[in-house]
Amino acid sequence: MRAESNLENPLLQAATAELPPYPTIKPEHVEPALRTVIDDNRRRLAVLPAAATTDWSGLMRPLEEMEERLERVWGPVRHLNAVCDSKALRPAHQRGLMQVTAYRSECMQNEALFAAVERLQASPGFQGQPPERRQAVHHLLRDFRLGGAALPREKKDRFKAIQVRLSELGAQFEQNVLDATRAWRLHVRDTAELAGLPQREREAARERARREGLKGWLFTLDAPSYIPFMQYAENRALRRRMYTAYVTRAASGKLDNGPIILEILKLRREAAKLLGYKNHAEVSLANKMATSPREVIDFLRELATRSRPRAQGEIAELAEFARNRLHLDRLEAWDLDFAGECLRRERYAFSQQDLKPYFPEPQVLEGLFAVAGRLYGLRFEVRPEVPRWHEDVRFFDVFDAQGQRIAGFYLDLYARPHKRGGAWMDECIIRWRRPDGTLQRPVAHVVCNFSRPAGGNPALWSHEEVITLFHEFGHALHHMLTEVETLEVSGIRGVPWDAVELPSQLMENFCWHYEALELFARHYRSGAVLPRALFEKMRAARNFQAGMKMLRQIEYALFDFLLHVEFDPASGGSVQDVLDAVHKEVAVFKPPQFNRFQNSFSHIFAGGYAAGYYSYKWAEVMAADAFAAFEETGIFDAATAQRLRREVLAVGGARDMTEAFAAFRGRKPKVDALLRQYGLLPLSTTKSGD
Ligand code: ZN
């Protein structure tokens, strides 16, 4: 700490605090705190490679310290920008992002440092280091090369400029999506226009209007408002308006992401060539489980081929149902969810709304904790005095079977204005053996956008929302149950993207087993357990339109992947052409011409999933296969859970994932468990397991 004012900067205090002091962090703290840390790091880096003895404590320890201090300052800012965006924080975050990106890029191109790490790897004592340290060094050298460290001067400068620009473009893309989502709303004043919408959705819409000081009902393009509207609203014209607004977000005017997409693709391609790769897909695979673009494309096409016949049957059936029962002669894009929900209700005689009373928030949380408790012997305790960024947020300590505190996490459940949409888990603090020998315990952020308690009732969630919570908590367990002490391979750090969804998707499966559900799925008024018959319907309904859903995901994944393999903005053609070709190959329903879903496809343009969206399916194959191990032994089988914890969760990025999976399962992943899960295999081979 140098300048006096720095002593009062909470972000700099945060570098050593147990937890980030969220409520005291102000936008004006960001720039000076980052400058202080980055300047300090630069000074240390200027002398480190030359002075370093080529051993762990001489080189890697200081690097870990520098990275940790920076992340402890920058992490909270990044997080606040996602959960309570404000006019003042936005530019501070944007400037901070540029500072951090420029610094990181500079580190990754530091030739002296690169050479020092190479020397370390080649040194005689290195092979005697624990595997997690060797893995961290291996990753670091790989990232150096991917970061341009091996490039000659002029190429290096260009590469660096590209990275800075790409990070700006990604942030702008995301901002445009957020602004476009917020800029549009449907204000309903006439009750007749609410026909079909369940009472709870009406109440939520009324509450939304009330918060804005409006009469009537307000619907927005945020998921908790948009999705039920599209499922239930009988008014076709309004559905069309909602749909049109949704799929044309950030597609015109000041918020148009079209030019941003082109520039991103052009720059990614140029950067890949500088590194000696043919395209960005090859760059993306350099640190993934999948070994070649061909392997990924074949994987996706095989899944598509095996799902397509069924999806064709499903869409034909839906069109017929819509014609005969809903008097919709031609099925339009804005009818799909509505008609689908009607057909589902008719066929299974229940809807997501019937399930919600069985999933009141307090019991779902209890159930989640009970499942984690049975599997891993964990216990969770709320700690109310922890400073948080919003009053809705809760903090929990995590204790192991011996009663020792091993981790903590923040839980931010409800949708609210100025909060990024969707759900995610993010690292807050990483498990790490500090240079002074003490152990830093991991802390996670678990963030969702669920409905909040309303009208004096607890929040009632859909089964999908329950699954989402389990999913994110699966990530959090991966982060919190690590036993690694080396910063860069601890928890989810260093885990390949295409494997990182394994623990999360595995957790989802528990929401599909009565043995797990009966722990918590009880009616919020009567206390009655979810009826077995209703559960059986849920299971039967699970595979409703499974072929179509599978194809939609493959369509996104293949579009993303081909865009980063084949598409060259310089040689004519358009992003839309690639998308159209993928639609033609994969999809069974043609979306309208005006659909610009790519303009809000943040995963691949702002979220790090570029040429990596296939990872969801890739990991899902592993997760389904891993869960099959639980089905074979009993879903709460302690030995299976212990083996998963030991071989996969505890080792984080320190171990090769192909190897970790094989150690758990006794073999490589097979695709069959996933196809079975979606009902895409003949019934005769279906295992009965629940
Ligand atoms: Zn996930």
Side-chain angles (χ1 to χ4, degrees):
M1 321 259 154
R2 299 163 309 154
E4 295 246 320
S5 64
N6 278 348
L7 291 172
E8 278 130 47
N9 191 324
L11 276 172
L12 286 169
Q13 311 300 325
T16 50
E18 189 212 349
L19 294 165
Y22 282 117
T24 57
I25 298 170
K26 299 276 177 300
E28 61 269 26
H29 296 138
V30 178
E31 203 273 337
L34 283 174
R35 187 156 30 84
T36 300
V37 173
I38 290 174
D39 285 353
D40 287 352
N41 284 4
R42 278 184 177 135
R43 262 195 303 279
R44 293 182 70 181
L45 280 169
V47 293
L48 181 72
T53 47
T54 43
D55 63 12
W56 185 269
S57 59
L59 182 63
M60 294 303 288
R61 271 263 176 271
L63 286 180
E64 281 193 330
E65 271 179 280
M66 284 184 251
E67 175 55 25
E68 171 65 4
R69 185 162 173 234
L70 176 59
E71 198 43 42
R72 284 289 205 107
V73 168
W74 176 235
V77 177
R78 200 179 47 214
H79 177 67
L80 285 175
N81 187 59
V83 293
C84 28
D85 161 45
S86 74
K87 264 208 177 75
L89 183 59
R90 215 186 266 190
H93 171 263
Q94 186 65 19
R95 273 198 306 276
L97 183 64
M98 287 169 73
Q99 283 171 278
V100 172
T101 310
Y103 164 75
R104 288 242 162 89
S105 166
E106 178 186 305
C107 290
M108 292 321 286
Q109 291 172 59
N110 183 326
E111 280 165 35
L113 188 61
F114 177 39
V117 180
E118 277 189 315
R119 273 202 309 281
L120 170 67
Q121 195 186 39
S123 67
F126 184 72
Q127 289 311 316
Q129 288 288 341
E132 60 182 72
R133 290 186 174 180
R134 280 184 279 140
Q135 182 79 330
V137 168
H138 170 71
H139 284 183
L140 184 57
L141 286 173
R142 178 195 66 199
D143 294 345
F144 262 122
R145 292 185 187 107
L146 288 174
L151 295 177
R153 173 65 44 209
E154 10 34 277
K155 285 190 177 179
K156 193 175 284 190
D157 289 343
R158 176 63 190 149
F159 187 84
K160 188 172 161 182
I162 291 176
Q163 298 312 313
V164 172
R165 179 68 185 144
L166 278 173
S167 124
E168 279 169 28
L169 288 167
Q172 190 60 52
F173 185 99
E174 180 69 30
Q175 200 57 63
N176 286 349
V177 174
L178 194 62
D179 287 347
T181 302
R182 204 179 292 160
W184 195 94
R185 56 197 201 176
L186 178 69
H187 185 194
V188 172
R189 295 172 190 81
D190 178 0
T191 329
E193 296 190 325
L194 300 175
L197 283 163
Q199 195 51 35
R200 290 203 61 82
E201 302 305 334
R202 295 178 185 216
E203 275 168 25
R206 193 182 265 294
E207 189 102 1
R208 238 175 267 127
R210 209 177 292 138
R211 276 204 300 274
E212 303 274 319
L214 295 169
K215 289 213 159 61
W217 301 265
L218 204 55
F219 296 92
T220 67
L221 299 178
D222 291 314
S225 168
Y226 177 76
I227 293 171
F229 191 92
M230 295 307 290
Q231 283 177 326
Y232 299 108
E234 286 170 11
N235 189 315
R236 197 184 196 193
L238 288 184
R239 282 204 313 270
R240 182 186 175 139
R241 277 177 60 194
M242 282 286 271
Y243 172 85
T244 306
Y246 190 77
V247 302
T248 55
R249 281 177 302 158
S252 63
K254 276 206 313 223
L255 301 176
D256 188 1
N257 273 337
I260 293 178
I261 291 175
L262 278 179
E263 194 181 344
I264 287 174
L265 291 172
K266 189 169 133 292
L267 291 176
R268 281 180 184 159
R269 201 171 178 84
E270 188 187 341
K273 295 229 153 114
L274 284 172
L275 293 177
Y277 293 99
K278 282 210 274 299
N279 50 55
H280 185 74
E282 286 187 354
V283 177
S284 159
L285 294 190
N287 54 15
K288 293 196 171 66
M289 255 181 99
T291 50
S292 72
R294 189 76 266 154
E295 189 185 1
V296 172
I297 293 169
D298 288 350
F299 168 78
L300 292 172
R301 288 196 163 137
E302 192 204 339
L303 280 179
T305 307
R306 293 177 77 171
S307 317
R308 204 177 150 79
R310 184 168 156 152
Q312 274 165 332
E314 288 163 0
I315 193 77
E317 179 187 41
L318 186 67
E320 196 192 325
F321 172 80
R323 208 167 30 244
N324 297 340
R325 306 294 303 277
L326 306 174
H327 311 293
L328 300 172
D329 277 345
R330 215 183 100 93
L331 202 54
E332 301 284 359
W334 44 93
D335 301 325
L336 289 181
D337 293 346
F338 176 72
E341 180 62 25
C342 291
L343 177 59
R344 187 211 305 268
R345 244 178 335 211
E346 177 173 290
R347 179 169 306 167
Y348 302 104
F350 81 101
S351 76
Q352 284 294 325
Q353 291 303 317
D354 296 328
L355 297 176
K356 279 190 171 184
Y358 292 96
F359 296 117
E361 173 189 331
Q363 278 157 230
V364 172
L365 286 185
E366 226 175 84
L368 175 68
F369 294 166
V371 168
R374 288 232 193 160
L375 291 172
Y376 307 115
L378 303 176
R379 199 168 51 76
F380 304 88
E381 219 170 79
V382 73
R383 199 195 320 168
E385 71 274 16
V386 166
R388 294 143 300 157
W389 54 91
H390 190 277
E391 56 184 8
D392 290 342
V393 180
R394 275 162 281 179
F395 182 89
F396 291 86
D397 286 308
V398 182
F399 299 89
D400 68 9
Q402 286 73 45
Q404 204 192 352
R405 183 185 174 274
I406 57 166
F409 65 95
Y410 295 89
L411 189 62
D412 184 354
L413 289 169
Y414 313 132
R416 60 172 179 266
H418 308 292
K419 180 173 167 182
R420 206 175 81 196
W424 69 91
M425 191 293 292
D426 196 7
E427 305 151 329
C428 175
I429 292 171
I430 314 265
R431 189 177 197 270
W432 179 46
R433 180 69 65 184
R434 295 192 196 94
D436 66 7
T438 56
L439 188 65
Q440 174 171 295
R441 304 285 180 190
V443 176
H445 294 132
V446 177
V447 184
C448 303
N449 269 281
F450 298 161
S451 45
R452 61 175 62 242
N457 291 322
L460 301 180
W461 294 334
S462 67
H463 188 232
E464 276 105 353
E465 287 172 322
V466 175
I467 290 170
T468 299
L469 181 64
F470 272 66
H471 176 105
E472 298 310 334
F473 203 69
H475 283 306
L477 288 173
H478 199 188
H479 174 65
M480 298 190 294
L481 291 180
T482 192
E483 287 166 19
V484 173
E485 300 182 347
T486 305
L487 196 68
E488 293 301 338
V489 287
S490 178
I492 61 167
R493 281 221 184 163
V495 177
W497 273 100
D498 47 357
V500 84
E501 296 295 330
L502 162 60
S504 53
Q505 296 185 344
L506 181 116
M507 277 300 281
E508 292 183 21
N509 287 286
F510 288 91
C511 303
W512 288 108
H513 279 259
Y514 199 67
E515 210 184 324
L517 286 176
E518 67 183 350
L519 296 177
F520 64 94
R522 292 187 301 274
H523 197 283
Y524 77 108
R525 285 219 176 103
S526 69
V529 177
L530 177 74
R532 183 89 202 189
L534 186 52
F535 169 72
E536 295 300 344
K537 281 185 198 165
M538 283 165 63
R539 289 251 297 200
R542 182 188 192 185
N543 291 340
F544 177 62
Q545 297 188 339
M548 282 165 69
K549 280 182 217 144
M550 174 77 104
L551 286 189
R552 201 170 308 132
Q553 286 300 308
I554 294 170
E555 187 186 319
Y556 296 163
L558 198 56
F559 166 62
D560 161 46
F561 210 78
L562 292 178
L563 205 55
H564 291 100
V565 177
E566 293 170 354
F567 180 65
D568 182 357
S571 66
S574 71
V575 172
Q576 192 64 44
D577 292 340
V578 179
L579 186 57
D580 290 345
V582 171
H583 271 312
K584 211 166 159 221
E585 179 188 341
V586 174
V588 291
F589 183 85
K590 200 171 155 23
Q593 282 295 326
F594 61 78
N595 185 309
R596 290 288 175 274
F597 112 89
Q598 65 269 36
N599 286 43
S600 55
F601 197 6
S602 298
H603 276 82
I604 71 164
F605 296 116
Y609 269 91
Y613 198 84
Y614 78 92
S615 303
Y616 282 111
K617 283 284 163 249
W618 188 273
E620 214 180 346
V621 162
M622 287 198 294
D625 199 13
F627 190 72
F630 283 91
E631 291 179 314
E632 286 156 16
T633 53
I635 63 162
F636 291 121
D637 181 63
T640 308
Q642 272 309 313
R643 204 167 64 246
L644 180 75
R645 184 174 179 174
R646 188 179 65 235
E647 306 292 355
V648 178
L649 301 176
V651 296
R655 188 180 190 185
D656 175 69
M657 203 44 157
T658 309
E659 200 184 297
F661 186 91
F664 166 66
R665 197 68 172 105
R667 57 166 173 73
K668 284 183 181 168
K670 283 187 191 169
V671 75
D672 301 67
L674 181 68
L675 292 173
R676 196 162 55 228
Q677 190 172 298
Y678 280 98
L680 296 167
L681 279 188
L683 272 176
S684 56
T685 59
T686 301
K687 278 198 60 64
S688 66
D690 99 281

